[in-house]
Amino acid sequence: MIQGELITFKSNLKKAGERQIAERIAMTRLAINNAQEAANSEDKSSAGDKYETGRAMGHLEKDMYARQLAENIKDLDKLQKVNTDVIYTTAQTGAFIKCADYSFFIAAGLGKQQIDDQLIFFLSPDSPLAKLLLHKKAGDSFLFNKKDTVILEIY
């Protein structure tokens, strides 16, 4: 691929990640609303503490989703700041690393993603694997899944 195609490819990966995180945010907001509605609709019963327990559980669930929402918003913000307009020669945030059996995109921790019939590992820049790859260049090798893996290309 020529330089413009490489940049477009990475930009498309970034957009796919942004869409996935945006979907997570929407689903988490819906879960927060559902948890709030469940807590609000808990009827007082003759069972005594059941009412208070149900409301407390609803609030705990809402708090858990609120933490997830905050984390997703933070992840989206970090991903939006990733520069995909540069062709990198070493592994770093915004780089795409191609190996014989695996490909990695250091931008956001979204795990394995199927993009255009290609399996790509989306790595958080703070992940252990991204830190292991940091500053490596084409031709360097690293241990992945108990197998020595050679970097074929970085951009």
Side-chain angles (χ1 to χ4, degrees):
M1 286 194 268
I2 60 172
Q3 187 168 341
E5 292 172 326
L6 299 176
I7 289 172
T8 298
F9 176 71
K10 290 196 310 177
S11 293
N12 288 340
L13 291 179
K14 180 179 172 180
K15 287 176 190 167
E18 288 171 342
R19 279 192 304 273
Q20 184 171 359
I21 294 173
E23 286 174 18
R24 286 182 184 177
I25 289 170
M27 290 172 54
T28 305
R29 284 188 171 136
L30 182 63
I32 287 170
N33 291 339
N34 290 342
Q36 183 64 53
E37 286 177 22
N40 291 344
S41 67
E42 188 68 35
D43 291 332
K44 211 166 183 83
S45 71
S46 59
D49 289 341
K50 180 179 178 243
Y51 167 75
E52 292 302 325
T53 301
R55 285 185 57 84
M57 293 301 291
H59 288 294
L60 286 173
E61 188 176 6
K62 181 183 169 199
D63 290 345
M64 176 192 68
Y65 289 128
R67 285 189 299 277
Q68 287 177 2
L69 177 62
E71 198 63 35
N72 285 325
I73 290 170
K74 189 171 85 175
D75 289 345
L76 182 60
D77 181 56
K78 283 182 184 178
L79 179 56
Q80 289 172 335
K81 292 177 181 171
V82 170
N83 186 358
T84 56
D85 294 334
V86 174
I87 299 297
Y88 297 101
T89 56
T90 61
Q92 58 191 287
T93 301
F96 181 79
I97 298 99
K98 185 162 186 62
C99 303
D101 297 327
Y102 309 100
S103 293
F104 306 93
F105 180 51
I106 302 175
L110 300 173
K112 289 187 221 178
Q113 301 294 316
Q114 191 73 31
I115 310 282
D116 298 333
D117 298 325
Q118 189 174 1
L119 185 65
I120 299 169
F121 289 86
F122 278 64
L123 304 176
S124 164
D126 300 323
S127 71
L129 182 54
K131 288 179 179 179
L132 175 69
L133 289 169
L134 192 63
H135 304 301
K136 293 201 181 295
K137 55 189 180 310
D140 289 351
S141 64
F142 62 99
L143 195 61
F144 182 66
N145 283 344
K146 299 178 185 176
K147 181 178 166 189
D148 198 38
T149 304
V150 176
I151 298 172
L152 302 177
E153 190 176 4
I154 295 178
Y155 53 87

